[in-house]
Amino acid sequence: MVYKITFTPLNYTGWNSLSHLSAEVKRLQAKKILVVTDPTLIKIGLTTQAIQPLLDANYSIELYSEVAAEPSLALAEKLVAYTRQHKFDMIIGIGGGSALDLSKLAGVLAVHEGFVADYLNLTGTKKILHKGIPTILIPTTSGTGSEVTNIAVLTLENTKDVVTHDYLLPDVAIIDPALTVSLPPNITAATGIDALTHAIEAYISRNASPISDALAIQAIRLITQSIRTAVADGSNQEARTNMSYGSYLAGLAFFNAGVAGVHALAYPLGGQFHVPHGESNAVLLPYVMGYIRQSCEKRMKDIYEIMGFHTAYLSQEEASYRCVEELQKIVKDVNIPSTLREFNIPEEALKHLTAAALEQKRILARSPMALLTKDIFAIYQSAFNGIITENK
């Protein structure tokens, strides 16, 4: 068996790794820099703190903060047009997954023609042909993994779609857990479960490899051992560091093995009801894993053991059931709603959600169990009622 393994060209990780930013900007010979960042980060001073050495060195820097959670296609079109017009020679993305995804798109499509819509996975007709301008990505959350993947996710009217190509990989990723200390508990929880979902889905993916497995296993271990502490006490340096490394490793794992059913069903929740991506994954994770349990019992037993539980005297079946129960417990412990009802999603919407999820064929193909219309609807129904069911 031959596996293709891809990583970002250069990564800095660890507490205060942001100190390497200036040297990398100099190495990449940037002169006119666009910093794409979350407006909240500007307000609390985190963006200025991050780029202060560049300001002190008199680089030409412009801040762009038209960034929103679950970024729309329209937001991406506007940023790409702006980047082309002003001819920047570097983009630095600072923030959560939205800012990072938009930065990747702007960096690559700045040197292409047409609209962002032309490059969408589901409906686009154009291909990415050229490497973009240099891009440095700096996450301020521990969750999306955007800084180490070749995917940019955009919200459409009824679902989500992606632009994907290896040219979307940044030139440099800087993962500094010190930047996550100010993250509020609810965002810490949602992004943390997002990262956990990345690791779990990579581990059970049809495309999993020994390399992605190693990354996913350590990510699951770090996240499940630290997420409750990080949510309860955001100033805990050890927990923040573990979550940062866990998110980073999970990003590398799912970039190489892919995500599956949880993400396919989560995308329509964001598209149709604007449920934040991390919370969409969190509310669906136990129900999807419960439904497909029989198709990946051995791997779920592994996950249960990785989370710190003894499995020597448990059958694969029993351990897989307990794994699902523990996932439910984690979601509850970090105060994320556990049913679709709690997100005010009406039962009559489940059919529309199912139709939209079925369009995510690229993602569904990685599920260890084939998920057809009846299966997807059953999972949504399960998540609506708060009762885990499994495929019969």
Side-chain angles (χ1 to χ4, degrees), residues 58-351:
N58 295 316
Y59 283 97
S60 173
I61 295 177
E62 184 169 338
L63 296 183
Y64 188 98
S65 61
E66 291 192 49
V67 173
E70 316 302 315
S72 66
L73 177 60
L75 270 181
E77 299 283 13
K78 187 172 183 179
L79 173 57
V80 168
Y82 187 85
T83 306
R84 289 171 178 168
Q85 178 185 353
H86 293 275
K87 302 186 183 306
F88 297 98
D89 58 17
M90 174 177 278
I91 291 183
I92 299 176
I94 304 174
S98 300
L100 304 188
D101 280 5
L102 289 172
S103 297
K104 290 192 285 189
L105 278 176
V108 171
L109 295 187
V111 301
H112 288 76
E113 296 180 346
F115 297 101
V116 177
D118 298 328
Y119 298 89
L120 290 172
N121 175 65
L122 296 178
T123 57
T125 57
K126 290 184 180 293
K127 302 293 184 182
I128 291 175
L129 301 173
H130 315 291
K131 191 180 188 309
I133 60 178
T135 304
I136 298 176
L137 299 184
I138 306 169
T140 59
T141 68
S142 296
T144 70
S146 177
E147 70 278 2
V148 293
T149 70
N150 66 354
I151 304 166
V153 184
L154 297 172
T155 300
L156 308 182
E157 185 176 352
N158 292 312
T159 188
K160 293 187 178 184
D161 200 357
V162 301
V163 177
T164 179
H165 193 283
D166 281 354
Y167 286 154
L168 267 70
L169 289 167
D171 295 271
V172 181
I174 300 176
I175 300 93
D176 189 337
L179 297 176
T180 68
V181 170
S182 61
L183 206 63
N186 63 317
I187 306 299
T188 299
T191 55
I193 298 293
D194 189 17
L196 179 60
T197 304
H198 292 156
I200 290 173
E201 292 212 283
Y203 191 65
I204 65 168
S205 169
R206 289 182 179 271
N207 295 343
S209 72
I211 295 88
S212 65
D213 284 353
L215 296 165
I217 285 168
Q218 182 65 353
I220 293 166
R221 180 178 292 116
L222 289 169
I223 293 167
T224 55
Q225 290 177 2
S226 301
I227 188 169
R228 293 175 176 91
T229 302
V231 170
D233 178 12
S235 64
N236 186 299
Q237 184 170 332
E238 181 181 5
R240 286 297 191 187
T241 300
N242 286 345
M243 290 300 296
S244 184
Y245 280 129
S247 170
Y248 169 68
L249 293 169
L252 293 173
F254 93 80
F255 174 38
N256 284 284
V259 289
V262 178
H263 276 72
L265 273 66
Y267 279 175
L269 295 183
Q272 296 182 29
F273 293 96
H274 308 291
V275 179
H277 179 63
E279 294 182 9
S280 297
N281 278 333
V283 70
L284 290 170
L285 178 60
Y287 300 103
V288 173
M289 296 304 295
Y291 191 84
I292 69 171
R293 183 195 59 76
Q294 295 178 59
S295 68
C296 50
E297 280 186 351
K298 169 63 170 67
R299 293 243 148 181
M300 289 183 68
K301 181 179 182 180
D302 293 344
I303 292 168
Y304 189 60
E305 184 171 350
I306 294 162
M307 291 192 291
F309 297 94
H310 297 294
T311 63
Y313 301 104
L314 297 176
S315 66
Q316 290 182 15
E317 180 181 34
E318 179 60 28
S320 66
Y321 277 121
R322 294 193 186 189
C323 179
V324 174
E325 291 171 359
E326 178 61 17
L327 293 176
Q328 275 189 303
K329 190 173 187 300
I330 292 172
V331 172
K332 180 180 179 181
D333 288 348
V334 297
N335 301 312
I336 294 178
S338 59
T339 68
L340 297 183
R341 288 177 187 267
E342 294 172 81
F343 286 101
N344 297 315
I345 294 172
E347 189 169 13
E348 56 267 25
L350 302 187
K351 288 185 178 180

